[in-house]
Amino acid sequence: MNSVKISGYGDDLTVDGIRIGDLSPDEHQNIEKTKGGQNYSPLEDVVVSKVKDSSTLIARIPDPDDIKKYIETELIDGLCCYSAVNQGQLNQTIVDSVIEHLSNEKLPTVPRSIRHKYMSAFLLAATGITGMDKVVPKVAGVESWELSFKISRRWGFYKKGIPEEKIIIVGATGNFHGRSVAAISMSDDEESRTGFGPFLPGIELVPFNDIDSLKLLFEEKGDRIASFMVEPIQGEAGVIVPDSDYFTMVAKLCKKHNILLAMDEVQTGFGRTGKNFAHQLFNVQPDIMGCGKAAGGGILPVSFVAGRKDVIDVLTPGSEGSTFGGYPLASVVGTYAIKVLVEEHLADNAKIQGDYLMSHLNEIKDEYPDKIKEVRGRGLLTAFEMYNEKNLNGHTVSVELLNHGVYAKETHQTTVRLAPALTINKYQIDRLSDAIRSVIKGL
Ligand SMILES: Cc1ncc(COP(=O)(O)O)c(C=O)c1O
């Protein structure tokens, strides 16, 4: 029988005699390459070790004098786990809530087939902040999208009367909703799809931010369409912000054809864009929406679907479920993630610091108009796109930013996204911007 000996905490965490505090970045890389699936290619020669403050990480890089050893360095976290850490790394209020509930309140772990008292807190908080009638908890971001997809289909079948095999769900080109088979069935990114087919039928795409195409499709097939599922701002596509009147026209069209407007707020929600939810930027109300990432306060994976009563009510006992969706710890963390969003005014800070970051980025664009093509964003969901030239490579920029003490990552070859914690301060934005300026200058 296989066995493994495990002991210690932090650097002393030791597995079969290997103490992780002794491993060089090179050794970490080797373990990951030989023992892990290669579905990521992390930045080379850097290993994150711990948190310094809400926007600063301590990382290990090879010791220039001895490659088998490491030195520690500070990194401004310009990405905050793809917007999962809006509340800042180790937000004290959320950490305290976890410790208090685990140590003193003796928090149980039970499934949804028995009621627990913390679910009520989460449902009250999540309906309160979203202004929606009902909420269904899930775990990963993709699951909130997938459940919105399933609810859309069921609503199309039960409420709109579309025969099951005829139901169409419409998505937007360039979308990113996660990695499940349903989500990649909607994707038009070949890298995410190749070899994973066959895909789900009943999905059609229209170009994002193109109201005429949507109108045409709705006119042609509206009686078979259950929902239009869309990100309010496309994050993974490179922070693509639609025209200011796009969503009001979308909402009108959806109403006219009795089609649900289903929004994916997994990346844009929880204050990221300067509003609690990005659809509020465009003055529309989705019929159903999915949230994830920062819904877990940067500590736990927590996601949920929020929607109108008549939409969520197509779910019936036994038709859906999740062992860890809304279990007690997730309910506590989810509730406190909302408390921090409100009490620390995260959306307001995202607007203030986001405008400040954008002013820096625009200055850099003006200084290097031959290198930076466009600067985009709302709140602290921002990106700059470079011209498609050999020396202007997003990956090179990410690597160089690391050398300047900043962690950020390209989304496409020429675009670099910046999405720091919403607790970031002016001084840290200055440091982030100085690093970008130096890197762009050196290209
Ligand atoms: C808009 C959007 N939806 C869904 C997801 C998937 O979330 P997860 O990776 O937690 O499943 C992401 C992740 O980046 C996202 O940006």
Side-chain angles (χ1 to χ4, degrees), residues 245-260:
D245 58 352
Y246 174 63
F247 277 112
T248 41
M249 294 191 283
V250 168
K252 260 192 211 145
L253 274 183
C254 283
K255 212 173 173 133
K256 181 173 170 204
H257 293 271
N258 191 25
I259 290 167
L260 298 177

Side-chain angles (χ1 to χ4, degrees), residues 4-285:
V4 185
K5 190 167 180 325
I6 299 167
S7 63
Y9 302 111
D11 277 343
D12 288 331
L13 181 57
T14 303
V15 179
D16 279 344
I18 298 175
R19 182 179 170 274
I20 63 160
D22 294 336
L23 297 172
S24 67
D26 198 45
E27 287 167 317
H28 281 291
Q29 255 159 238
N30 274 339
I31 291 174
E32 210 178 285
K33 283 192 175 145
T34 54
K35 311 261 180 212
Q38 298 301 292
N39 52 332
Y40 279 90
S41 61
L43 290 161
E44 297 276 313
D45 290 333
V46 60
V47 180
V48 173
S49 173
K50 58 168 89 164
V51 164
K52 180 173 181 237
D53 60 46
S54 74
S55 291
T56 315
L57 303 167
I58 304 290
R60 292 169 177 177
I61 55 174
D63 183 340
D65 298 326
D66 182 353
I67 193 81
K68 295 210 155 39
K69 294 191 179 146
Y70 60 77
I71 53 170
E72 293 200 323
T73 186
E74 285 183 18
L75 291 179
I76 297 248
D77 185 358
L79 205 52
C80 79
C81 198
Y82 298 119
S83 298
V85 192
N86 290 3
Q87 296 87 345
Q89 298 280 352
L90 294 180
N91 182 287
Q92 200 57 50
T93 306
I94 302 174
V95 169
D96 287 348
S97 79
V98 171
I99 293 171
E100 184 67 25
H101 283 89
L102 289 181
S103 304
N104 297 331
E105 298 295 333
K106 305 293 174 210
L107 199 76
T109 292
V110 290
R112 293 290 308 280
S113 49
I114 184 165
R115 225 162 247 132
H116 65 81
K117 64 184 180 185
Y118 297 101
M119 175 60 72
S120 301
F122 177 66
L123 293 179
L124 289 168
T127 50
I129 196 69
T130 58
M132 294 287 200
D133 299 329
K134 291 196 167 195
V135 160
V136 187
K138 297 292 283 185
V139 182
V142 68
E143 291 176 273
S144 77
W145 179 83
E146 179 111 9
L147 179 55
S148 305
F149 186 93
K150 287 172 74 179
I151 290 175
S152 292
R153 279 185 163 184
R154 216 177 218 216
W155 178 89
F157 179 59
Y158 282 159
K159 302 273 171 119
K160 194 166 165 175
I162 315 169
E164 232 177 317
E165 68 288 354
K166 292 227 153 84
I167 293 175
I168 296 170
I169 308 289
V170 179
T173 55
N175 71 76
F176 184 84
H177 299 296
R179 304 296 194 164
S180 68
V181 172
I184 63 168
S185 295
M186 185 172 275
S187 171
D188 57 358
D189 171 33
E190 275 317 306
E191 217 181 344
S192 315
R193 289 168 57 97
T194 306
F196 291 126
F199 300 106
L200 251 57
I203 294 174
E204 297 209 14
L205 295 187
V206 288
F208 184 65
N209 195 27
D210 179 344
I211 196 70
D212 292 335
S213 300
L214 192 72
K215 191 163 176 254
L216 215 64
L217 183 64
F218 280 12
E219 273 163 11
E220 199 189 324
K221 299 183 182 167
D223 54 343
R224 289 177 52 199
I225 299 171
S227 76
F228 178 39
M229 302 192 69
V230 63
E231 298 153 84
I233 293 175
Q234 291 189 320
E236 296 303 303
V239 186
I240 311 295
V241 183
D243 296 340
S244 55
D245 58 352
Y246 174 63
F247 277 112
T248 41
M249 294 191 283
V250 168
K252 260 192 211 145
L253 274 183
C254 283
K255 212 173 173 133
K256 181 173 170 204
H257 293 271
N258 191 25
I259 290 167
L260 298 177
L261 176 56
M263 284 199 165
D264 181 344
E265 290 263 14
V266 168
Q267 186 163 158
T268 50
F270 277 74
R272 171 57 50 194
T273 64
K275 297 276 185 193
N276 283 343
F277 301 97
H279 65 260
Q280 294 164 336
L281 290 170
F282 306 112
N283 295 314
V284 290
Q285 177 73 358

Side-chain angles (χ1 to χ4, degrees), residues 311-323:
V311 178
I312 300 290
D313 278 351
V314 299
L315 292 179
T316 45
S319 63
E320 238 300 317
S322 167
T323 304

